[in-house]
Amino acid sequence: MRPDDRQYLSSHEWVKIEDDTATIGITDFAVDELCSGNEGDLVYCDLPELGRQVEAGETFGEIESVKAVSDLNSPVAGEIVEVNPDIEDHLEILSDDPWDRGWLIRVKIGKGDSASLLDATAYEELIAEKA
Amino acid sequence: METWRLITTWGAPPEFNMGLDGALLEDPEGPPTLRFYTWTPAALSLGYFQRFEEVPAASDAFVVVRRITGGGAIHHTNELTFSLSASLEHPLFEGPVARSYERVHEVVKGALLELGCEAELRGAGELNSDAPDTGMCFHHSTALDLAWGARKGVGSAQRRRRGRVLHHGSIKLGPSKYDTDIASLEGVDDPGEVARALQGAMRNIAGIKLSPGVPSPEERELAEELGARAIDQDFVRRR
């Protein structure tokens, strides 16, 4: 079971909301789709500048595996206030610990709707359909 | 049998080629499309994340564009370029990236066999075409690349966005100034012949019939905008 202290996008990003701050990352399923268990297949992650405003559902970055570039989408609207400084040089963190050390950005939640979010149970059901 | 749109644009400008592929990716509800194209003039395309300085040929090439797909640089001349754009839910693309490559390459392999070329996935090991430090796609191989004669013969890359995928492929009819010492289709001079074989393999292997079509007015408009960006030298040299 994936962590139930956060919510999920169907495009496999997770968001954990504490007060007015959203911490955002990608799920183990997303990592596995990109690299099929071979963590060395992740080659690049492009994360945004601090201070950038994002809309819910908007692309905030991109991740490249050996054979595909995928968009990273923000579940919430707001201002990017923190970017994980370790990710770009240590992509293996995303395979080792996507839920904690593998966070990508923190967003100070602004006005505007969230994207359509799933709880952990609904996300598990989504994954089960794809398995 | 399932039907996809077929768009063929021979001898189109590099910025049009990149712009149209971008437009075909953009609409999550857009029709699944197979596109065949060639380039006039020949151009070098950089992978989305490549640094201009990492590719020595980029400083020498007549025209350089940046793709939205990843991977290494390709010199687009003497080749058939194709793109597949479809939903990530489509049976060709669903699931892990690696599995989608295996399925697409099964189709490409079938087309190559029609042309007398026995290609296989590289699997473990290296190829004679592998060359460090050129930054060229054909000089870097992975287990999922199609090769024959111990050389890489098909360049490929994907971009995934909002539930849709664009899969790029290049099949070489011969080497070029920058794509040296690679596998190519000997005895085939016409990219159209490769396109016809690929069209047949789509039908026979993937069960997909192709119906000739054209980009919609919205796709054309977006292609113009995205193409201008793909060839903008600030964007090309941004990394």
Side-chain angles (χ1 to χ4, degrees), chain A residues 32-34 36 44 46 57 59 62-71 73 130, chain B residues 48-49 70-71 89 95-98 101 142 145 156-161 239:
Chain A
D32 203 46
E33 290 255 298
L34 283 167
S36 295
Y44 200 86
D46 196 28
T59 299
E62 289 123 353
I63 187 163
E64 181 176 31
S65 67
V66 167
K67 280 297 184 187
V69 176
S70 290
D71 287 2
N73 304 307
K130 292 176 181 290
Chain B
Y48 187 73
F49 280 120
E89 305 285 321
V97 170
Y101 268 87
T142 73
D145 283 318
S156 49
Q158 287 185 5
R159 178 68 185 249
R160 293 167 169 236
R161 169 179 289 170
R239 295 182 191 280

PDB file of all heavy atoms in Angstrom, chain A residues 32-34 36 44 46 57 59 62-71 73 130, chain B residues 48-49 70-71 89 95-98 101 142 145 156-161 239:
ATOM      1  N   ASP A  32       9.288   3.084 -11.793  1.00  0.00           N
ATOM      2  CA  ASP A  32       9.428   1.762 -12.394  1.00  0.00           C
ATOM      3  C   ASP A  32       8.996   1.758 -13.869  1.00  0.00           C
ATOM      4  O   ASP A  32       9.582   1.059 -14.696  1.00  0.00           O
ATOM      5  CB  ASP A  32       8.624   0.732 -11.594  1.00  0.00           C
ATOM      6  CG  ASP A  32       9.162  -0.670 -11.826  1.00  0.00           C
ATOM      7  OD1 ASP A  32      10.386  -0.846 -11.776  1.00  0.00           O
ATOM      8  OD2 ASP A  32       8.356  -1.578 -12.089  1.00  0.00           O
ATOM      9  N   GLU A  33       7.972   2.555 -14.191  1.00  0.00           N
ATOM     10  CA  GLU A  33       7.552   2.654 -15.602  1.00  0.00           C
ATOM     11  C   GLU A  33       8.690   3.223 -16.461  1.00  0.00           C
ATOM     12  O   GLU A  33       8.879   2.830 -17.602  1.00  0.00           O
ATOM     13  CB  GLU A  33       6.334   3.573 -15.724  1.00  0.00           C
ATOM     14  CG  GLU A  33       5.069   3.007 -15.138  1.00  0.00           C
ATOM     15  CD  GLU A  33       4.099   2.519 -16.204  1.00  0.00           C
ATOM     16  OE1 GLU A  33       3.644   3.343 -17.008  1.00  0.00           O
ATOM     17  OE2 GLU A  33       3.804   1.327 -16.214  1.00  0.00           O
ATOM     18  N   LEU A  34       9.435   4.164 -15.866  1.00  0.00           N
ATOM     19  CA  LEU A  34      10.510   4.811 -16.625  1.00  0.00           C
ATOM     20  C   LEU A  34      11.736   3.919 -16.766  1.00  0.00           C
ATOM     21  O   LEU A  34      12.403   3.943 -17.794  1.00  0.00           O
ATOM     22  CB  LEU A  34      10.922   6.124 -15.947  1.00  0.00           C
ATOM     23  CG  LEU A  34       9.987   7.301 -16.162  1.00  0.00           C
ATOM     24  CD1 LEU A  34      10.329   8.435 -15.201  1.00  0.00           C
ATOM     25  CD2 LEU A  34      10.083   7.809 -17.605  1.00  0.00           C
ATOM     26  N   SER A  36      12.058   0.396 -15.311  1.00  0.00           N
ATOM     27  CA  SER A  36      11.889  -1.056 -15.164  1.00  0.00           C
ATOM     28  C   SER A  36      12.882  -1.682 -14.195  1.00  0.00           C
ATOM     29  O   SER A  36      13.480  -2.712 -14.483  1.00  0.00           O
ATOM     30  CB  SER A  36      11.991  -1.731 -16.537  1.00  0.00           C
ATOM     31  OG  SER A  36      10.932  -1.317 -17.354  1.00  0.00           O
ATOM     32  N   TYR A  44      18.317  12.183 -16.246  1.00  0.00           N
ATOM     33  CA  TYR A  44      18.289  13.636 -16.057  1.00  0.00           C
ATOM     34  C   TYR A  44      16.959  14.039 -15.457  1.00  0.00           C
ATOM     35  O   TYR A  44      15.918  13.443 -15.750  1.00  0.00           O
ATOM     36  CB  TYR A  44      18.469  14.333 -17.412  1.00  0.00           C
ATOM     37  CG  TYR A  44      18.930  15.762 -17.291  1.00  0.00           C
ATOM     38  CD1 TYR A  44      20.288  16.065 -17.197  1.00  0.00           C
ATOM     39  CD2 TYR A  44      18.009  16.803 -17.246  1.00  0.00           C
ATOM     40  CE1 TYR A  44      20.715  17.374 -17.066  1.00  0.00           C
ATOM     41  CE2 TYR A  44      18.430  18.119 -17.124  1.00  0.00           C
ATOM     42  CZ  TYR A  44      19.783  18.390 -17.033  1.00  0.00           C
ATOM     43  OH  TYR A  44      20.209  19.683 -16.896  1.00  0.00           O
ATOM     44  N   ASP A  46      14.983  17.785 -14.685  1.00  0.00           N
ATOM     45  CA  ASP A  46      15.021  19.242 -14.800  1.00  0.00           C
ATOM     46  C   ASP A  46      13.935  19.814 -13.893  1.00  0.00           C
ATOM     47  O   ASP A  46      12.746  19.572 -14.123  1.00  0.00           O
ATOM     48  CB  ASP A  46      14.763  19.639 -16.260  1.00  0.00           C
ATOM     49  CG  ASP A  46      15.156  21.081 -16.523  1.00  0.00           C
ATOM     50  OD1 ASP A  46      16.049  21.586 -15.834  1.00  0.00           O
ATOM     51  OD2 ASP A  46      14.553  21.693 -17.419  1.00  0.00           O
ATOM     52  N   GLY A  57      -2.011  21.065 -12.311  1.00  0.00           N
ATOM     53  CA  GLY A  57      -1.970  20.283 -13.546  1.00  0.00           C
ATOM     54  C   GLY A  57      -0.895  20.737 -14.511  1.00  0.00           C
ATOM     55  O   GLY A  57      -0.618  20.061 -15.501  1.00  0.00           O
ATOM     56  N   THR A  59       2.823  21.560 -16.052  1.00  0.00           N
ATOM     57  CA  THR A  59       4.131  20.913 -16.015  1.00  0.00           C
ATOM     58  C   THR A  59       5.129  21.810 -15.288  1.00  0.00           C
ATOM     59  O   THR A  59       5.268  22.977 -15.623  1.00  0.00           O
ATOM     60  CB  THR A  59       4.614  20.650 -17.456  1.00  0.00           C
ATOM     61  OG1 THR A  59       3.675  19.776 -18.090  1.00  0.00           O
ATOM     62  CG2 THR A  59       5.980  20.000 -17.466  1.00  0.00           C
ATOM     63  N   GLU A  62      10.763  18.129 -15.956  1.00  0.00           N
ATOM     64  CA  GLU A  62      10.804  16.951 -16.825  1.00  0.00           C
ATOM     65  C   GLU A  62      11.825  15.961 -16.280  1.00  0.00           C
ATOM     66  O   GLU A  62      12.825  16.372 -15.684  1.00  0.00           O
ATOM     67  CB  GLU A  62      11.219  17.342 -18.247  1.00  0.00           C
ATOM     68  CG  GLU A  62      10.170  18.128 -19.007  1.00  0.00           C
ATOM     69  CD  GLU A  62      10.684  19.464 -19.482  1.00  0.00           C
ATOM     70  OE1 GLU A  62      11.813  19.849 -19.104  1.00  0.00           O
ATOM     71  OE2 GLU A  62       9.960  20.134 -20.233  1.00  0.00           O
ATOM     72  N   ILE A  63      11.543  14.696 -16.517  1.00  0.00           N
ATOM     73  CA  ILE A  63      12.504  13.666 -16.123  1.00  0.00           C
ATOM     74  C   ILE A  63      12.804  12.796 -17.335  1.00  0.00           C
ATOM     75  O   ILE A  63      11.905  12.470 -18.109  1.00  0.00           O
ATOM     76  CB  ILE A  63      11.981  12.844 -14.923  1.00  0.00           C
ATOM     77  CG1 ILE A  63      13.066  11.890 -14.432  1.00  0.00           C
ATOM     78  CG2 ILE A  63      10.687  12.112 -15.242  1.00  0.00           C
ATOM     79  CD1 ILE A  63      12.796  11.346 -13.048  1.00  0.00           C
ATOM     80  N   GLU A  64      14.078  12.485 -17.515  1.00  0.00           N
ATOM     81  CA  GLU A  64      14.485  11.685 -18.674  1.00  0.00           C
ATOM     82  C   GLU A  64      15.045  10.348 -18.208  1.00  0.00           C
ATOM     83  O   GLU A  64      15.915  10.283 -17.346  1.00  0.00           O
ATOM     84  CB  GLU A  64      15.549  12.416 -19.496  1.00  0.00           C
ATOM     85  CG  GLU A  64      15.976  11.601 -20.718  1.00  0.00           C
ATOM     86  CD  GLU A  64      16.961  12.312 -21.636  1.00  0.00           C
ATOM     87  OE1 GLU A  64      17.761  13.121 -21.141  1.00  0.00           O
ATOM     88  OE2 GLU A  64      16.937  12.036 -22.848  1.00  0.00           O
ATOM     89  N   SER A  65      14.496   9.289 -18.782  1.00  0.00           N
ATOM     90  CA  SER A  65      15.123   7.976 -18.640  1.00  0.00           C
ATOM     91  C   SER A  65      15.857   7.711 -19.943  1.00  0.00           C
ATOM     92  O   SER A  65      15.808   8.529 -20.863  1.00  0.00           O
ATOM     93  CB  SER A  65      14.069   6.903 -18.372  1.00  0.00           C
ATOM     94  OG  SER A  65      13.253   6.732 -19.498  1.00  0.00           O
ATOM     95  N   VAL A  66      16.527   6.581 -20.019  1.00  0.00           N
ATOM     96  CA  VAL A  66      17.337   6.304 -21.207  1.00  0.00           C
ATOM     97  C   VAL A  66      16.518   6.437 -22.490  1.00  0.00           C
ATOM     98  O   VAL A  66      17.017   6.879 -23.510  1.00  0.00           O
ATOM     99  CB  VAL A  66      17.957   4.893 -21.091  1.00  0.00           C
ATOM    100  CG1 VAL A  66      18.532   4.437 -22.416  1.00  0.00           C
ATOM    101  CG2 VAL A  66      19.040   4.889 -20.037  1.00  0.00           C
ATOM    102  N   LYS A  67      15.247   6.115 -22.431  1.00  0.00           N
ATOM    103  CA  LYS A  67      14.476   6.059 -23.667  1.00  0.00           C
ATOM    104  C   LYS A  67      13.254   6.964 -23.714  1.00  0.00           C
ATOM    105  O   LYS A  67      12.494   6.912 -24.671  1.00  0.00           O
ATOM    106  CB  LYS A  67      14.032   4.606 -23.919  1.00  0.00           C
ATOM    107  CG  LYS A  67      15.135   3.748 -24.538  1.00  0.00           C
ATOM    108  CD  LYS A  67      15.490   4.290 -25.898  1.00  0.00           C
ATOM    109  CE  LYS A  67      16.499   3.507 -26.669  1.00  0.00           C
ATOM    110  NZ  LYS A  67      16.898   4.205 -27.909  1.00  0.00           N
ATOM    111  N   ALA A  68      13.018   7.782 -22.681  1.00  0.00           N
ATOM    112  CA  ALA A  68      11.829   8.643 -22.732  1.00  0.00           C
ATOM    113  C   ALA A  68      11.980   9.865 -21.834  1.00  0.00           C
ATOM    114  O   ALA A  68      12.591   9.781 -20.759  1.00  0.00           O
ATOM    115  CB  ALA A  68      10.585   7.864 -22.306  1.00  0.00           C
ATOM    116  N   VAL A  69      11.426  10.970 -22.295  1.00  0.00           N
ATOM    117  CA  VAL A  69      11.303  12.170 -21.466  1.00  0.00           C
ATOM    118  C   VAL A  69       9.845  12.275 -21.039  1.00  0.00           C
ATOM    119  O   VAL A  69       8.943  12.174 -21.877  1.00  0.00           O
ATOM    120  CB  VAL A  69      11.694  13.443 -22.240  1.00  0.00           C
ATOM    121  CG1 VAL A  69      11.472  14.683 -21.376  1.00  0.00           C
ATOM    122  CG2 VAL A  69      13.141  13.375 -22.704  1.00  0.00           C
ATOM    123  N   SER A  70       9.608  12.458 -19.731  1.00  0.00           N
ATOM    124  CA  SER A  70       8.239  12.584 -19.236  1.00  0.00           C
ATOM    125  C   SER A  70       8.067  13.900 -18.486  1.00  0.00           C
ATOM    126  O   SER A  70       8.973  14.337 -17.774  1.00  0.00           O
ATOM    127  CB  SER A  70       7.895  11.447 -18.277  1.00  0.00           C
ATOM    128  OG  SER A  70       7.803  10.238 -18.970  1.00  0.00           O
ATOM    129  N   ASP A  71       6.888  14.488 -18.629  1.00  0.00           N
ATOM    130  CA  ASP A  71       6.571  15.706 -17.894  1.00  0.00           C
ATOM    131  C   ASP A  71       6.324  15.390 -16.422  1.00  0.00           C
ATOM    132  O   ASP A  71       5.859  14.300 -16.075  1.00  0.00           O
ATOM    133  CB  ASP A  71       5.302  16.346 -18.457  1.00  0.00           C
ATOM    134  CG  ASP A  71       5.546  16.997 -19.807  1.00  0.00           C
ATOM    135  OD1 ASP A  71       6.674  16.926 -20.315  1.00  0.00           O
ATOM    136  OD2 ASP A  71       4.591  17.587 -20.348  1.00  0.00           O
ATOM    137  N   ASN A  73       4.041  16.960 -13.367  1.00  0.00           N
ATOM    138  CA  ASN A  73       2.891  17.859 -13.266  1.00  0.00           C
ATOM    139  C   ASN A  73       2.602  18.226 -11.814  1.00  0.00           C
ATOM    140  O   ASN A  73       2.681  17.381 -10.922  1.00  0.00           O
ATOM    141  CB  ASN A  73       1.664  17.177 -13.879  1.00  0.00           C
ATOM    142  CG  ASN A  73       1.920  16.746 -15.314  1.00  0.00           C
ATOM    143  OD1 ASN A  73       2.327  17.540 -16.149  1.00  0.00           O
ATOM    144  ND2 ASN A  73       1.724  15.474 -15.592  1.00  0.00           N
ATOM    145  N   LYS A 130      -3.718  -1.097 -14.247  1.00  0.00           N
ATOM    146  CA  LYS A 130      -2.638  -1.046 -15.237  1.00  0.00           C
ATOM    147  C   LYS A 130      -1.729  -2.262 -15.162  1.00  0.00           C
ATOM    148  O   LYS A 130      -0.935  -2.498 -16.053  1.00  0.00           O
ATOM    149  CB  LYS A 130      -1.800   0.230 -15.027  1.00  0.00           C
ATOM    150  CG  LYS A 130      -2.550   1.499 -15.359  1.00  0.00           C
ATOM    151  CD  LYS A 130      -1.707   2.719 -15.046  1.00  0.00           C
ATOM    152  CE  LYS A 130      -2.450   4.004 -15.338  1.00  0.00           C
ATOM    153  NZ  LYS A 130      -2.651   4.242 -16.763  1.00  0.00           N
TER     154      LYS A 130
ATOM    155  N   TYR B  48      16.391  16.456 -26.289  1.00  0.00           N
ATOM    156  CA  TYR B  48      15.805  17.522 -25.479  1.00  0.00           C
ATOM    157  C   TYR B  48      16.758  18.034 -24.397  1.00  0.00           C
ATOM    158  O   TYR B  48      16.847  19.226 -24.141  1.00  0.00           O
ATOM    159  CB  TYR B  48      14.512  17.008 -24.829  1.00  0.00           C
ATOM    160  CG  TYR B  48      13.746  18.061 -24.109  1.00  0.00           C
ATOM    161  CD1 TYR B  48      13.048  19.035 -24.814  1.00  0.00           C
ATOM    162  CD2 TYR B  48      13.724  18.112 -22.719  1.00  0.00           C
ATOM    163  CE1 TYR B  48      12.343  20.024 -24.153  1.00  0.00           C
ATOM    164  CE2 TYR B  48      13.015  19.093 -22.054  1.00  0.00           C
ATOM    165  CZ  TYR B  48      12.337  20.048 -22.772  1.00  0.00           C
ATOM    166  OH  TYR B  48      11.638  21.021 -22.109  1.00  0.00           O
ATOM    167  N   PHE B  49      17.504  17.126 -23.770  1.00  0.00           N
ATOM    168  CA  PHE B  49      18.363  17.531 -22.653  1.00  0.00           C
ATOM    169  C   PHE B  49      19.835  17.677 -23.041  1.00  0.00           C
ATOM    170  O   PHE B  49      20.665  17.926 -22.177  1.00  0.00           O
ATOM    171  CB  PHE B  49      18.255  16.516 -21.515  1.00  0.00           C
ATOM    172  CG  PHE B  49      17.035  16.696 -20.660  1.00  0.00           C
ATOM    173  CD1 PHE B  49      16.099  15.688 -20.534  1.00  0.00           C
ATOM    174  CD2 PHE B  49      16.822  17.875 -19.974  1.00  0.00           C
ATOM    175  CE1 PHE B  49      14.980  15.844 -19.732  1.00  0.00           C
ATOM    176  CE2 PHE B  49      15.708  18.049 -19.168  1.00  0.00           C
ATOM    177  CZ  PHE B  49      14.781  17.030 -19.049  1.00  0.00           C
ATOM    178  N   GLY B  70      13.955  12.774 -25.972  1.00  0.00           N
ATOM    179  CA  GLY B  70      15.294  12.742 -25.383  1.00  0.00           C
ATOM    180  C   GLY B  70      16.297  12.028 -26.277  1.00  0.00           C
ATOM    181  O   GLY B  70      16.109  11.916 -27.488  1.00  0.00           O
ATOM    182  N   GLY B  71      17.374  11.560 -25.638  1.00  0.00           N
ATOM    183  CA  GLY B  71      18.377  10.801 -26.375  1.00  0.00           C
ATOM    184  C   GLY B  71      19.433  11.668 -27.030  1.00  0.00           C
ATOM    185  O   GLY B  71      19.608  12.835 -26.692  1.00  0.00           O
ATOM    186  N   GLU B  89      -2.554   4.811 -23.149  1.00  0.00           N
ATOM    187  CA  GLU B  89      -3.396   3.650 -22.855  1.00  0.00           C
ATOM    188  C   GLU B  89      -3.430   2.680 -24.039  1.00  0.00           C
ATOM    189  O   GLU B  89      -3.957   1.577 -23.925  1.00  0.00           O
ATOM    190  CB  GLU B  89      -4.840   4.102 -22.569  1.00  0.00           C
ATOM    191  CG  GLU B  89      -4.972   5.141 -21.473  1.00  0.00           C
ATOM    192  CD  GLU B  89      -4.799   4.539 -20.098  1.00  0.00           C
ATOM    193  OE1 GLU B  89      -5.292   3.433 -19.894  1.00  0.00           O
ATOM    194  OE2 GLU B  89      -4.146   5.171 -19.251  1.00  0.00           O
ATOM    195  N   GLY B  95       1.917   0.661 -20.139  1.00  0.00           N
ATOM    196  CA  GLY B  95       2.891   0.008 -19.267  1.00  0.00           C
ATOM    197  C   GLY B  95       4.263   0.650 -19.329  1.00  0.00           C
ATOM    198  O   GLY B  95       4.421   1.779 -19.799  1.00  0.00           O
ATOM    199  N   PRO B  96       5.271  -0.067 -18.833  1.00  0.00           N
ATOM    200  CA  PRO B  96       6.616   0.505 -18.754  1.00  0.00           C
ATOM    201  C   PRO B  96       7.173   0.930 -20.121  1.00  0.00           C
ATOM    202  O   PRO B  96       6.840   0.328 -21.152  1.00  0.00           O
ATOM    203  CB  PRO B  96       7.445  -0.648 -18.180  1.00  0.00           C
ATOM    204  CG  PRO B  96       6.468  -1.534 -17.484  1.00  0.00           C
ATOM    205  CD  PRO B  96       5.190  -1.414 -18.253  1.00  0.00           C
ATOM    206  N   VAL B  97       8.017   1.938 -20.081  1.00  0.00           N
ATOM    207  CA  VAL B  97       8.659   2.444 -21.303  1.00  0.00           C
ATOM    208  C   VAL B  97       9.332   1.305 -22.071  1.00  0.00           C
ATOM    209  O   VAL B  97       9.185   1.179 -23.289  1.00  0.00           O
ATOM    210  CB  VAL B  97       9.703   3.533 -20.943  1.00  0.00           C
ATOM    211  CG1 VAL B  97      10.543   3.892 -22.154  1.00  0.00           C
ATOM    212  CG2 VAL B  97       9.009   4.767 -20.367  1.00  0.00           C
ATOM    213  N   ALA B  98      10.042   0.452 -21.332  1.00  0.00           N
ATOM    214  CA  ALA B  98      10.801  -0.620 -22.001  1.00  0.00           C
ATOM    215  C   ALA B  98       9.874  -1.547 -22.789  1.00  0.00           C
ATOM    216  O   ALA B  98      10.190  -1.959 -23.907  1.00  0.00           O
ATOM    217  CB  ALA B  98      11.596  -1.412 -20.963  1.00  0.00           C
ATOM    218  N   TYR B 101       8.789  -0.014 -26.060  1.00  0.00           N
ATOM    219  CA  TYR B 101       9.839  -0.099 -27.089  1.00  0.00           C
ATOM    220  C   TYR B 101       9.869  -1.484 -27.727  1.00  0.00           C
ATOM    221  O   TYR B 101      10.037  -1.633 -28.934  1.00  0.00           O
ATOM    222  CB  TYR B 101      11.213   0.217 -26.483  1.00  0.00           C
ATOM    223  CG  TYR B 101      11.560   1.683 -26.603  1.00  0.00           C
ATOM    224  CD1 TYR B 101      11.162   2.585 -25.641  1.00  0.00           C
ATOM    225  CD2 TYR B 101      12.249   2.160 -27.706  1.00  0.00           C
ATOM    226  CE1 TYR B 101      11.453   3.921 -25.751  1.00  0.00           C
ATOM    227  CE2 TYR B 101      12.554   3.496 -27.834  1.00  0.00           C
ATOM    228  CZ  TYR B 101      12.157   4.374 -26.850  1.00  0.00           C
ATOM    229  OH  TYR B 101      12.441   5.701 -26.978  1.00  0.00           O
ATOM    230  N   THR B 142      21.459   1.069 -26.422  1.00  0.00           N
ATOM    231  CA  THR B 142      20.903   0.449 -25.219  1.00  0.00           C
ATOM    232  C   THR B 142      20.382  -0.936 -25.608  1.00  0.00           C
ATOM    233  O   THR B 142      20.295  -1.268 -26.797  1.00  0.00           O
ATOM    234  CB  THR B 142      19.721   1.256 -24.655  1.00  0.00           C
ATOM    235  OG1 THR B 142      18.587   1.077 -25.520  1.00  0.00           O
ATOM    236  CG2 THR B 142      20.055   2.738 -24.561  1.00  0.00           C
ATOM    237  N   ASP B 145      17.663  -1.095 -28.379  1.00  0.00           N
ATOM    238  CA  ASP B 145      17.873  -0.592 -29.742  1.00  0.00           C
ATOM    239  C   ASP B 145      17.929  -1.721 -30.761  1.00  0.00           C
ATOM    240  O   ASP B 145      18.422  -2.813 -30.473  1.00  0.00           O
ATOM    241  CB  ASP B 145      19.184   0.206 -29.799  1.00  0.00           C
ATOM    242  CG  ASP B 145      19.020   1.583 -29.196  1.00  0.00           C
ATOM    243  OD1 ASP B 145      17.991   2.227 -29.460  1.00  0.00           O
ATOM    244  OD2 ASP B 145      19.918   2.006 -28.447  1.00  0.00           O
ATOM    245  N   SER B 156      15.823   5.959 -31.843  1.00  0.00           N
ATOM    246  CA  SER B 156      14.458   6.134 -31.347  1.00  0.00           C
ATOM    247  C   SER B 156      14.443   6.833 -29.995  1.00  0.00           C
ATOM    248  O   SER B 156      15.408   6.756 -29.227  1.00  0.00           O
ATOM    249  CB  SER B 156      13.753   4.778 -31.249  1.00  0.00           C
ATOM    250  OG  SER B 156      14.563   3.856 -30.566  1.00  0.00           O
ATOM    251  N   ALA B 157      13.346   7.524 -29.732  1.00  0.00           N
ATOM    252  CA  ALA B 157      13.202   8.267 -28.482  1.00  0.00           C
ATOM    253  C   ALA B 157      11.728   8.574 -28.278  1.00  0.00           C
ATOM    254  O   ALA B 157      10.957   8.635 -29.235  1.00  0.00           O
ATOM    255  CB  ALA B 157      14.010   9.564 -28.539  1.00  0.00           C
ATOM    256  N   GLN B 158      11.337   8.767 -27.020  1.00  0.00           N
ATOM    257  CA  GLN B 158       9.932   9.072 -26.708  1.00  0.00           C
ATOM    258  C   GLN B 158       9.804  10.333 -25.860  1.00  0.00           C
ATOM    259  O   GLN B 158      10.703  10.667 -25.086  1.00  0.00           O
ATOM    260  CB  GLN B 158       9.283   7.934 -25.910  1.00  0.00           C
ATOM    261  CG  GLN B 158       8.997   6.692 -26.699  1.00  0.00           C
ATOM    262  CD  GLN B 158       8.247   5.637 -25.882  1.00  0.00           C
ATOM    263  OE1 GLN B 158       7.863   5.874 -24.733  1.00  0.00           O
ATOM    264  NE2 GLN B 158       8.045   4.476 -26.486  1.00  0.00           N
ATOM    265  N   ARG B 159       8.645  10.975 -26.004  1.00  0.00           N
ATOM    266  CA  ARG B 159       8.225  12.021 -25.076  1.00  0.00           C
ATOM    267  C   ARG B 159       6.834  11.657 -24.585  1.00  0.00           C
ATOM    268  O   ARG B 159       5.960  11.302 -25.385  1.00  0.00           O
ATOM    269  CB  ARG B 159       8.188  13.378 -25.794  1.00  0.00           C
ATOM    270  CG  ARG B 159       7.713  14.544 -24.931  1.00  0.00           C
ATOM    271  CD  ARG B 159       8.744  14.831 -23.854  1.00  0.00           C
ATOM    272  NE  ARG B 159       8.312  15.855 -22.934  1.00  0.00           N
ATOM    273  CZ  ARG B 159       8.859  17.063 -22.852  1.00  0.00           C
ATOM    274  NH1 ARG B 159       9.853  17.388 -23.647  1.00  0.00           N
ATOM    275  NH2 ARG B 159       8.436  17.931 -21.958  1.00  0.00           N
ATOM    276  N   ARG B 160       6.634  11.734 -23.291  1.00  0.00           N
ATOM    277  CA  ARG B 160       5.339  11.393 -22.691  1.00  0.00           C
ATOM    278  C   ARG B 160       4.779  12.619 -21.989  1.00  0.00           C
ATOM    279  O   ARG B 160       5.471  13.227 -21.172  1.00  0.00           O
ATOM    280  CB  ARG B 160       5.511  10.228 -21.711  1.00  0.00           C
ATOM    281  CG  ARG B 160       5.891   8.953 -22.441  1.00  0.00           C
ATOM    282  CD  ARG B 160       6.369   7.846 -21.542  1.00  0.00           C
ATOM    283  NE  ARG B 160       6.447   6.614 -22.332  1.00  0.00           N
ATOM    284  CZ  ARG B 160       5.828   5.487 -22.025  1.00  0.00           C
ATOM    285  NH1 ARG B 160       5.116   5.407 -20.922  1.00  0.00           N
ATOM    286  NH2 ARG B 160       5.922   4.435 -22.812  1.00  0.00           N
ATOM    287  N   ARG B 161       3.553  12.959 -22.352  1.00  0.00           N
ATOM    288  CA  ARG B 161       2.946  14.170 -21.786  1.00  0.00           C
ATOM    289  C   ARG B 161       1.439  14.000 -21.691  1.00  0.00           C
ATOM    290  O   ARG B 161       0.788  13.647 -22.673  1.00  0.00           O
ATOM    291  CB  ARG B 161       3.280  15.360 -22.693  1.00  0.00           C
ATOM    292  CG  ARG B 161       2.505  16.625 -22.362  1.00  0.00           C
ATOM    293  CD  ARG B 161       2.890  17.759 -23.260  1.00  0.00           C
ATOM    294  NE  ARG B 161       4.231  18.224 -22.925  1.00  0.00           N
ATOM    295  CZ  ARG B 161       4.920  19.084 -23.669  1.00  0.00           C
ATOM    296  NH1 ARG B 161       4.420  19.539 -24.805  1.00  0.00           N
ATOM    297  NH2 ARG B 161       6.108  19.490 -23.281  1.00  0.00           N
ATOM    298  N   ARG B 239      21.277  24.828 -23.339  1.00  0.00           N
ATOM    299  CA  ARG B 239      21.908  23.980 -22.331  1.00  0.00           C
ATOM    300  C   ARG B 239      23.402  23.877 -22.562  1.00  0.00           C
ATOM    301  O   ARG B 239      23.850  23.881 -23.657  1.00  0.00           O
ATOM    302  CB  ARG B 239      21.283  22.585 -22.374  1.00  0.00           C
ATOM    303  CG  ARG B 239      19.821  22.599 -21.987  1.00  0.00           C
ATOM    304  CD  ARG B 239      19.244  21.219 -22.002  1.00  0.00           C
ATOM    305  NE  ARG B 239      17.784  21.263 -21.876  1.00  0.00           N
ATOM    306  CZ  ARG B 239      17.132  21.419 -20.725  1.00  0.00           C
ATOM    307  NH1 ARG B 239      17.808  21.552 -19.609  1.00  0.00           N
ATOM    308  NH2 ARG B 239      15.829  21.459 -20.698  1.00  0.00           N
TER     309      ARG B 239
END
